[in-house]
Amino acid sequence: MSKILAANFKTNHTRASTAEYIAQLDQWMQKNGYRDEVYIFPPFTALDSFETKSSIVVGAQNAYPTVKGSFTGEIGLEQLDEFGIKTILVGHSERRHLLGETQEFIASKYRWFTERGLTIFYCIGEPLEVREQGEEAVRRYIVEQLEGIDTSYENLIMAYEPVWAIGTGKTATPKLIEKTHAVIKSLCDRPLLYGGSVKPANIEEILSTPGCDGALIGTASWDVSSMVSMLETVIEQ
Ligand code: 13P
């Protein structure tokens, strides 16, 4: 079964180091005949029209639902189009919790980009205090994060990223991933990735969890050799 691996650079890498990373990864993928989908989400300043020969797709970590306009600090469709970028992350927990994006705003952003055909990685996941309240609370939280989201959108890739597992080194157990993915899949039948402290040491176990179609990786994706070792796991599976 093919798997989707995606690298979220967050606020890491420069324009130069991103270009070098993509060139190295592209070369490795060609040499090894790697054909499964691989997405890279660099910071805005590193976006470009990368001429890769492999299945690498470059996306944006965010964009404002506008073609252009007065939205200081944001980029719109015009800036994405310049580089042929047709993939974005929406709903990442860092934007929800650190930057205050509400579900209402996220849903309107989602709708705007679906109307323009972009591929959307839609991120959901509960904070620790919700997980501690048990499965039913997690389910309710997930349902809320799907409010206003057209879950039948054909270019939608879902990502389940429990907030307590992001950047903490605390990965969800395969059992918890399987259970939560089953809940999400019952609400939305689209490819579903897991994200949260995925790394070379645990990716094999995570990818073999039933209902897991790939991984959205932060920290462990920033080093190209670590990313390559995770791609090797996909080949070996
Ligand atoms: P980490 O892999 O650093 O936990 O980050 C996950 C994430 O937020 C990917 O979007």
Side-chain angles (χ1 to χ4, degrees):
M1 261 278 284
S2 74
K3 297 287 181 189
I4 301 167
L5 290 199
N8 179 2
F9 282 7
K10 307 190 179 185
T11 320
N12 298 279
H13 276 292
T14 61
R15 188 167 181 79
S17 69
T18 298
E20 200 177 298
Y21 179 109
I22 290 176
Q24 282 182 27
L25 193 65
D26 187 44
Q27 206 175 39
W28 184 89
M29 286 168 66
Q30 279 181 72
K31 208 168 118 198
N32 291 275
Y34 193 96
R35 287 195 186 79
D36 285 14
E37 291 168 67
V38 174
Y39 293 83
I40 311 290
F41 295 92
F44 284 160
T45 56
L47 295 179
D48 208 340
S49 318
F50 292 97
E51 292 191 9
T52 56
K53 296 197 179 70
S54 63
S55 54
I56 294 177
V57 173
V58 174
Q61 293 173 24
N62 177 46
Y64 200 80
T66 186
V67 174
K68 58 182 181 172
S70 298
F71 304 97
T72 302
E74 297 285 320
I75 63 169
L77 195 64
E78 192 175 82
Q79 287 75 36
L80 296 179
D81 280 348
E82 181 179 14
F83 303 124
I85 289 172
K86 302 207 171 309
T87 308
I88 57 167
L89 295 182
V90 174
H92 194 281
S93 65
E94 283 151 15
R95 296 205 63 86
R96 291 179 190 267
H97 301 299
L98 300 176
L99 296 158
E101 289 194 4
T102 62
Q103 182 60 27
E104 198 185 356
F105 175 67
I106 289 166
S108 71
K109 187 192 283 197
Y110 180 90
R111 197 172 329 112
W112 198 88
F113 284 105
T114 58
E115 283 163 2
R116 283 148 190 93
L118 273 82
T119 295
I120 298 181
F121 279 61
Y122 185 65
C123 308
I124 58 174
E126 79 288 356
L128 187 60
E129 64 268 24
V130 173
R131 173 54 65 183
E132 283 171 349
Q133 286 164 32
E135 311 246 321
E136 192 40 44
V138 171
R139 186 179 203 285
R140 277 199 305 272
Y141 197 84
I142 288 168
V143 167
E144 279 168 24
Q145 291 193 317
L146 290 173
E147 225 170 81
I149 301 300
D150 172 9
T151 52
S152 64
Y153 179 53
E154 58 178 348
N155 299 322
L156 164 63
I157 296 172
M158 293 290 298
Y160 169 58
E161 301 202 299
V163 179
W164 46 270
I166 295 178
T168 57
K170 274 190 217 154
T171 322
T173 61
K175 210 169 140 203
L176 185 144
I177 297 172
E178 184 176 351
K179 269 191 175 170
T180 316
H181 276 212
V183 170
I184 298 168
K185 289 237 173 184
S186 74
L187 299 163
C188 172
D189 187 19
R190 297 296 309 152
L192 175 56
L193 316 185
Y194 168 78
S197 297
V198 177
K199 52 185 182 235
N202 61 21
I203 194 164
E204 185 178 351
E205 186 175 51
I206 287 166
L207 293 181
S208 39
T209 303
C212 181
D213 303 307
L216 177 54
I217 310 149
T219 315
S221 74
W222 304 337
D223 175 63
V224 74
S225 60
S226 163
M227 187 67 180
V228 160
S229 96
M230 291 188 278
L231 264 57
E232 274 168 343
T233 307
V234 173
I235 293 181
E236 284 158 15
Q237 269 199 337

